Amino acid sequence: MDDFLLFLAVGALAQLVDGALGMAYGVVSSTVLLSFGVAPAAASASVHAAELFTTAASGTAHLIHRNIDWTLFWRLVPFGVLGGVTGAYILTGLSGDVVRPYVAAYLGVIGLYLLSRSFRKFPSRPVSRRTVAPLAACGGFLDAIGGGGWGPIVTSGLLGAGGAPRFVIGSVNAAEFLITLSVSLTFVFALATGHWEEAGDLRVHGLAVLGLIVGGVVAAPFAGYIVRHVSETILLRAVGILVCGLAVTQIVGLLW
């Protein structure tokens, strides 16, 4: 019960931040699981299993509050699914540690840029198709490899390209459900075909996954409300600080 309550609190906090800022559920949840000694591939599979429920709840909340740009949504989905499937299949046979230095460097640059942008007025503009496709593919790939990364990569990239925070965050959160579904099905396929030889018994993480699910589903409706009513400047600064914090955390982890 103590473990369940711990992961319930983690799931609620992570989803509140993720739904309001468009990132962090996977990163926060995976980091906690890894700190408990869970292997990277098992941590990613567990988080994506939980995200099947939390992303559905989060996407519904953003739909109710009209935070979704459907044109952007359908541009994100196919490339995000492609990147996620590729990353999940590779992860089941390879350690995700090899990509972490590149993710940390990217997040640091983007975080600083968003912070500087929050102090100047930039006109919001439609994000070009040429920007969306590589961001979605990269975000899906890194999300599967590291157990989190869709939000930090895609949300920060789209905001940096001039997207309106409310609709970027809503659209990215809504699209994440389909990316999560594709990644989870890839883990199941890798397990069923014997490609994932070191999977072990994933049922031992069931209590943690259940806690993440319950906490995330409870917090999701509040996140949809927050992103609709908080100003663009505050959102940009919060995202920038969060991204820089994630970058510093990853760099410290690499050094130690």
Side-chain angles (χ1 to χ4, degrees), residues 62-80:
H62 283 295
L63 177 63
I64 292 172
H65 290 285
R66 300 180 181 179
N67 297 333
I68 301 174
D69 177 343
W70 290 105
T71 300
L72 177 59
F73 173 88
W74 288 115
R75 288 179 178 176
L76 288 169
V77 168
F79 294 99

Side-chain angles (χ1 to χ4, degrees), residues 68-142:
I68 301 174
D69 177 343
W70 290 105
T71 300
L72 177 59
F73 173 88
W74 288 115
R75 288 179 178 176
L76 288 169
V77 168
F79 294 99
V81 167
L82 178 62
V85 168
T86 303
Y89 195 73
I90 291 176
L91 179 61
T92 53
L94 177 69
S95 170
D97 293 341
V98 294
V99 300
R100 288 181 181 174
Y102 303 100
V103 175
Y106 172 85
L107 292 178
V109 172
I110 290 294
L112 291 173
Y113 172 73
L114 291 178
L115 277 175
S116 66
R117 182 173 179 255
S118 71
F119 291 97
R120 293 179 290 169
K121 183 62 178 177
F122 283 70
S124 296
R125 56 186 183 275
V127 181
S128 70
R129 189 186 299 271
R130 290 177 296 179
T131 301
V132 173
L135 270 178
C138 182
F141 180 83
L142 292 175

